[in-house]
């Protein structure tokens, strides 16, 4: 049992404090429970981390847009210049970026994004069981996702010519796991906004999340002359959509941490829509 918060007529909801007039400032709650101080420090840290993760997701989104543009302008040509030059910096005859630089950026960005997803789950202020009914499976998929993006990134940096096909196959297969993680995030966000999610909506969202990686893998392995380029179009579009879902999830984490902080300082615990499920499930 924790010592209840004590305050003078706390507002019905913590966010109502922001709507109060500056002439009638809300009084801070009082409590002898020292654990509240630890929780407030933890929430401030979680709020800061999730805001930073949201900004990092925006950088990944920008990279996906830039890579999409590079892919549009790709002429599928050979490198120009002195063959003794450093390969990533060697220009191409008509294309805006070298093949080495393009693929290194692509695979390192995928690893960067997998780390963001993992951190966003670890640093959520909500209970994991409120996000997924199978939290252990979600953790395993996330951490396997990190490993499955790190290995291709290292292979591409080491030697693109030898490992190009292998790393693309690994990456496109790994996007099925990325789709699963984003589907879990998306369902948890809808559940919070709507108070529930019907089975039909869940099946439709799951089907749409799996279509892009499967089509992308099929296009890459098809006999099309420029199958790799077409697969990259799907990849960067899918990456931009996934970035939007993760951005929404990190912002929701930031909002949940800020709301619980306001509840502790100004509101009543029973008025916080985030606090009660958190404490009941943790």
């Amino acid at each position: 049992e924790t010592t209840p918060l004590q305050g003078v007529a706390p507002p019905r909801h913590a966010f109502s404090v922001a709507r109060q007039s500056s002439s009638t400032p809300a009084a801070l709650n009082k409590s002898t429970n020292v654990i509240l101080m630890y929780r407030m420090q933890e929430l401030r840290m979680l709020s800061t981390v999730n805001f930073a993760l949201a900004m990092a997701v925006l950088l990944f989104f920008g990279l996906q847009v830039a890579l999409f543009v590079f892919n549009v302008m790709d002429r599928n040509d050979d490198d120009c210049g002195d063959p003794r030059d450093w390969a990533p910096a060697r220009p191409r005859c008509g294309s805006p970026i070298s093949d080495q630089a393009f693929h290194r950026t692509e695979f390192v960005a995928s690893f960067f994004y997998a780390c963001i997803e993992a951190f966003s789950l670890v640093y959520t202020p909500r209970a994991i069981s409120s996000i997924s009914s199978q939290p252990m499976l979600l953790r395993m998929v996330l951490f396997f996702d990190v490993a499955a993006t790190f290995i291709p990134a290292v292979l591409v940096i080491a030697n693109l010519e030898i490992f190009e096909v292998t790393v693309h196959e690994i990456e496109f297969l790994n996007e099925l796991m990325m789709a699963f993680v984003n589907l879990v995030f998306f369902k948890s966000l809808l559940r919070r906004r709507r108070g529930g999610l019907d089975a039909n909506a869940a099946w439709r969202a799951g089907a749409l999340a799996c279509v892009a990686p499967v089509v992308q893998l099929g296009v890459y392995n098809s006999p099309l002359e420029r199958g790799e380029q077409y697969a990259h179009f799907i990849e960067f579009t899918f990456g931009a959509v996934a970035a939007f879902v993760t951005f929404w999830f990190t912002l929701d984490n930031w909002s949940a941490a800020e709301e619980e902080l306001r509840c502790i300082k100004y509101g009543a615990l029973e008025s916080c829509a985030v606090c009660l499920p958190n404490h009941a499930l943790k």
Side-chain angles (χ1 to χ4, degrees):
E1 292 294 330
T2 60
T3 305
L5 296 175
Q6 301 172 1
V8 180
R12 189 167 179 270
H13 192 280
F15 280 126
S16 63
V17 174
R19 297 193 293 268
Q20 292 184 345
S21 171
S22 58
S23 60
T24 58
L28 281 169
N29 289 320
K30 300 176 183 178
S31 175
T32 57
N33 185 3
V34 295
I35 298 178
L36 283 177
M37 180 60 69
Y38 168 78
R39 180 59 178 167
M40 289 178 67
Q41 293 174 347
E42 181 186 35
L43 288 169
R44 178 55 60 193
M45 182 268 293
L46 293 175
S47 173
T48 302
V49 169
N50 277 281
F51 186 80
L53 289 174
M55 296 301 102
V57 173
L58 290 181
L59 296 180
F60 175 78
F61 177 82
L63 276 176
Q64 297 303 291
V65 174
L67 289 170
F68 189 93
V69 173
F70 292 150
N71 197 49
V72 170
M73 301 176 66
D74 184 21
R75 299 292 177 264
N76 202 23
D77 45 16
D78 297 324
D79 292 338
C80 296
D82 192 339
R84 293 172 297 180
D85 291 342
W86 186 47
R90 194 180 302 151
R92 295 175 67 185
C93 308
S95 297
I97 187 173
S98 70
D99 201 40
Q100 289 268 7
F102 177 83
H103 283 94
R104 287 183 179 182
T105 304
E106 172 194 356
F107 284 92
V108 172
S110 296
F111 169 68
F112 174 71
Y113 177 69
C115 292
I116 292 175
E117 284 189 318
F119 277 111
S120 67
L121 184 66
V122 171
Y123 285 94
T124 179
R126 296 183 284 149
I128 302 298
S129 52
S130 68
I131 298 173
S132 171
S133 58
Q134 296 179 314
M136 186 56 66
L137 175 62
L138 179 59
R139 289 189 181 100
M140 290 178 62
V141 170
L142 259 178
F143 293 124
F144 186 79
D145 183 28
V146 172
T149 53
F150 177 73
I151 294 171
V154 172
L155 294 177
V156 165
I157 292 173
N159 195 316
L160 174 63
E161 294 180 357
I162 294 178
F163 299 111
E164 182 174 5
V165 175
T166 302
V167 295
H168 277 97
E169 298 283 359
I170 295 174
E171 183 186 31
F172 295 160
L173 283 172
N174 182 60
E175 287 191 3
L176 286 170
M177 287 188 292
M178 185 190 300
F180 170 77
V181 173
N182 278 275
L183 176 62
V184 171
F185 288 173
F186 186 64
K187 288 172 63 177
S188 72
L189 291 166
L190 290 183
R191 193 181 301 115
R192 283 201 64 202
R193 292 297 178 271
R194 298 180 179 179
L197 187 65
D198 61 273
N200 290 332
W203 279 108
R204 286 195 297 268
L208 288 174
C210 294
V211 163
V214 171
V215 172
Q216 179 180 324
L217 190 63
V219 170
Y220 181 76
N221 290 287
S222 70
L224 292 173
E225 182 180 354
R226 307 188 72 174
E228 180 182 350
Q229 186 176 10
Y230 300 146
H232 280 146
F233 282 128
I234 303 173
E235 174 190 1
F236 301 138
T237 303
F238 174 76
V241 174
F244 170 75
V245 174
T246 306
F247 177 72
W248 185 8
F249 183 75
T250 53
L251 278 188
D252 188 72
N253 287 340
W254 171 77
S255 175
E258 289 294 320
E259 181 178 354
E260 188 172 346
L261 268 173
R262 290 185 178 94
C263 285
I264 292 174
K265 292 193 293 184
Y266 302 109
L269 180 61
E270 59 270 13
S271 69
C272 179
V274 180
C275 314
L276 293 177
N278 281 0
H279 296 309
L281 292 168
K282 282 186 176 180

